[in-house]
Amino acid sequence: MNTFRIAKQTIGENAVLILCLTCFWAFHYVVFWSGSFTIGNPTADLDLTSDFTWLIAVTCNALSLLVFYLLLKARSVINFKRLSIVAFALSSCGIALIALRVANIGIVWDLAYLSGTVFLGMGTGIFMACLADIISKISPQTTFTCTALAFVAGSLICLVVTVALVDTAIWITTSALPLVTALLYRKAASTTPDPDASFFDAFSSPQGEPSLGSFLFFIATIGVTAGIMRDMNQAPATPVAESHLFVITVLVTGACLFFLSFFAGKIKPTLLLQIVVIVISGAFISLVLPANESSSIAFVIHTAGFLCFVALVWFFCTYFSERKRQGTRIFISGLLANQAGQAIGSLGYLWATSLFGSNDSFLLSISIGMVYLLLVVALVFFANATRAKRNPLAEPSPDSALVILQRIAIRNDLTPREVEIGWLIAKGDSRAKIAEDLTVSQETVKTHTKHLYQKLLIHSRKELLELIKAEAEKSAIM
């Protein structure tokens, strides 16, 4: 019952953000996966195959994220609310230009299609940066829950749009989705609640903390597998859409992730990452099975694995954003690594097929190579996390922590209630448990925690422990 109560509270507090993410993912699914905007009879004037145009879109997406990353690194002030309107304009304009080429044939319309693809990539990249600015401010578990629920709802919208509507209605509806996303984003930017600091802390040192650099490299590697798998898969976009393999896969995977999200504080996220590596490796192995259905099987397996990975990427990006205190920039760096990896994987595969062709021997070599690459990168990443786990912050005993906090309280004008809550936080209790033990609301605990951190000039339980440890060393208590 407690799990359902937490679920209801999480959804209620973040309803606008969930709706915003739902529209964003629905737009993404319809445009890039449903086949609704695929050219049925491309002319010979320009290469308008789905692989090539997708490569252009994902490259523009990565470049947009790179620009925001550099601007934030230079400490530029960015108005993301205004940029969400720019993202809507670019995305809707891109859809309009692509729709014109779907309905017409000729070199002018081919150029319009390419221009629309560029606009689409830039628009979705800006949307991602805008979402990063909000999501970097909430807890990892909330991020995981919202993302999983948006996967499910977005896939259902994609199914309705592509099955129940005629072509013209699909174009109009798809063009409207960015507008709804932008409007919901502007509201979510003003209403998203503050994170529960205790969750960041519960995820931290007991499980080890991999370095940000190793994690970004890990993200990029999985992105490479997505780019290669998209081009390597022999089932074209339209048949996949007709059989609804993609939508069903997203729906089932999202539902499973949504269920797991309420146990994210108890299940090690690094364990989930290991499972994702195994699943994606299995997708590449299934591609070379001697069966006509192997391509579809690989598509389903890899899609499920990659969706799990995307949810975990957003989870870890939120975590690192809080840990490094660089918020949006850290989150954008994770999204950038993912999108850049997909672009590199797609470009590398297209280049390799132009040199060696696409035969069974080539597919086997690529599949085995990707499995080995995944295993090597995973071993390096998890070895890094294990080393971090071996050197956790030495935590003081609960009794000594209380004594030290009482001493700190004298210098920093802490109230008895703030000392008590600080002691419970140092013990590792969650906000919900503290509220239950003290018979107060979670909002009351949140307010006292905020005042405590402000007075001590800290931002997290980790810093509180460091402060207690430093004070203990001075007093020779520990």
Side-chain angles (χ1 to χ4, degrees):
M1 292 299 294
N2 187 51
T3 300
F4 290 111
R5 182 178 58 79
I6 294 174
K8 184 178 179 180
Q9 181 180 350
T10 301
I11 295 172
E13 291 180 348
N14 300 276
V16 178
L17 176 59
I18 293 172
L19 290 174
C20 178
L21 287 171
T22 295
C23 292
F24 172 77
W25 286 113
F27 175 77
H28 188 86
Y29 297 155
V30 173
V31 173
F32 293 109
W33 290 99
S34 72
S36 300
F37 295 89
T38 302
I39 301 297
N41 297 301
T43 64
D45 298 314
L46 292 173
D47 186 356
L48 297 181
T49 58
S50 60
D51 291 341
F52 180 70
T53 52
W54 180 82
L55 175 60
I56 293 176
V58 76
T59 301
C60 292
N61 189 301
L63 290 175
S64 297
L65 291 169
L66 177 61
V67 169
F68 285 110
Y69 175 81
L70 295 175
L71 288 174
L72 290 170
K73 189 174 183 180
R75 301 184 183 278
S76 300
V77 178
I78 300 176
N79 190 325
F80 285 101
K81 283 188 177 182
R82 291 183 180 178
L83 280 172
S84 65
I85 300 301
V86 175
F88 143 67
L90 288 172
S91 300
S92 295
C93 183
I95 290 298
L97 290 172
I98 291 173
L100 287 173
R101 172 57 186 86
V102 174
N104 300 276
I105 298 177
I107 184 63
V108 175
W109 306 113
D110 288 350
L111 293 173
Y113 188 94
L114 289 178
S115 299
T117 303
V118 171
F119 288 164
L120 200 58
M122 293 172 60
T124 52
I126 296 173
F127 263 135
M128 282 188 173
C130 292
L131 290 170
D133 187 55
I134 296 181
I135 298 176
S136 62
K137 297 178 176 64
I138 61 179
S139 74
Q141 186 174 23
T142 301
T143 298
F144 197 84
T145 301
C146 293
T147 303
L149 193 56
F151 284 166
V152 175
S155 65
L156 291 175
I157 292 177
C158 175
L159 183 64
V160 171
V161 170
T162 55
V163 172
L165 303 180
V166 296
D167 288 346
T168 303
I170 290 176
W171 302 339
I172 295 173
T173 303
T174 307
S175 298
L177 282 173
L179 174 60
V180 178
T181 303
L183 294 177
L184 289 170
Y185 170 81
R186 292 172 68 86
K187 185 173 182 180
S190 304
T191 59
T192 300
D194 294 330
D196 182 350
S198 63
F199 182 82
F200 291 107
D201 303 321
F203 169 67
S204 181
S205 54
Q207 297 177 18
E209 179 180 322
S211 69
L212 177 61
S214 66
F215 180 62
L216 292 178
F217 184 70
F218 187 68
I219 291 176
T221 303
I222 300 294
V224 169
T225 72
I228 291 177
M229 178 62 71
R230 181 184 176 92
D231 293 337
M232 192 175 181
N233 191 277
Q234 298 302 306
T238 302
V240 168
E242 289 175 354
S243 61
H244 311 311
L245 275 179
F246 175 75
V247 172
I248 294 173
T249 302
V250 175
L251 187 61
V252 174
T253 304
C256 293
L257 289 173
F258 181 65
F259 174 77
L260 285 175
S261 68
F262 301 108
F263 302 94
K266 300 177 181 178
I267 301 174
K268 293 183 179 181
T270 48
L271 175 61
L272 295 179
L273 281 178
Q274 294 175 31
I275 295 173
V276 166
V277 170
I278 295 172
V279 170
I280 293 179
S281 298
F284 280 98
I285 294 174
S286 66
L287 266 178
V288 295
L289 293 176
N292 294 330
E293 297 82 9
S294 63
S295 183
S296 296
I297 294 172
F299 174 81
V300 170
I301 294 175
H302 190 278
T303 299
F306 189 69
L307 282 173
C308 293
F309 180 73
V310 169
L312 289 170
V313 165
W314 289 47
F315 177 98
F316 275 94
C317 284
T318 308
Y319 169 74
F320 280 114
S321 296
E322 193 275 344
R323 282 290 168 214
K324 304 298 180 180
R325 296 187 217 162
Q326 298 175 40
T328 307
R329 183 166 72 89
I330 293 296
F331 202 107
I332 288 177
S333 68
L335 299 180
L336 173 60
N338 187 15
Q339 297 301 304
Q342 291 188 54
I344 292 171
S346 180
L347 180 62
Y349 184 80
L350 292 175
W351 173 77
T353 52
S354 67
L355 292 179
F356 305 107
S358 182
N359 50 48
D360 292 340
S361 176
F362 175 74
L363 293 177
L364 177 62
S365 300
I366 291 291
S367 297
I368 294 176
M370 288 310 303
V371 170
Y372 275 111
L373 176 63
L374 274 171
L375 293 178
V376 169
V377 173
L379 284 173
V380 173
F381 174 74
F382 292 116
N384 182 290
T386 301
R387 284 195 297 271
K389 184 178 179 180
R390 291 172 182 168
N391 298 286
L393 176 67
E395 299 187 11
S397 66
D399 292 338
S400 64
L402 179 58
V403 173
I404 295 168
L405 275 172
Q406 289 171 343
R407 293 189 179 189
I408 295 174
I410 298 174
R411 298 196 307 268
N412 296 273
D413 194 28
L414 300 181
T415 66
R417 180 63 89 181
E418 289 168 355
V419 172
E420 186 176 21
I421 289 178
W423 174 59
L424 293 173
I425 291 174
K427 285 173 58 180
D429 291 351
S430 66
R431 182 191 298 171
K433 188 175 186 306
I434 294 173
E436 182 179 352
D437 291 344
L438 300 182
T439 320
V440 296
S441 68
Q442 291 192 37
E443 284 301 315
T444 300
V445 176
K446 178 180 175 182
T447 300
H448 284 304
T449 303
K450 181 179 179 181
H451 292 162
L452 171 68
Y453 285 177
Q454 287 176 342
K455 290 179 180 180
L456 298 181
L457 302 178
I458 59 177
H459 301 84
S460 67
R461 174 178 178 267
K462 182 178 180 180
E463 292 184 39
L464 177 63
L465 290 173
E466 291 173 346
L467 182 64
I468 294 173
K469 182 182 176 182
E471 183 69 20
E473 289 175 349
K474 291 179 183 179
S475 306
I477 292 178
M478 292 180 61

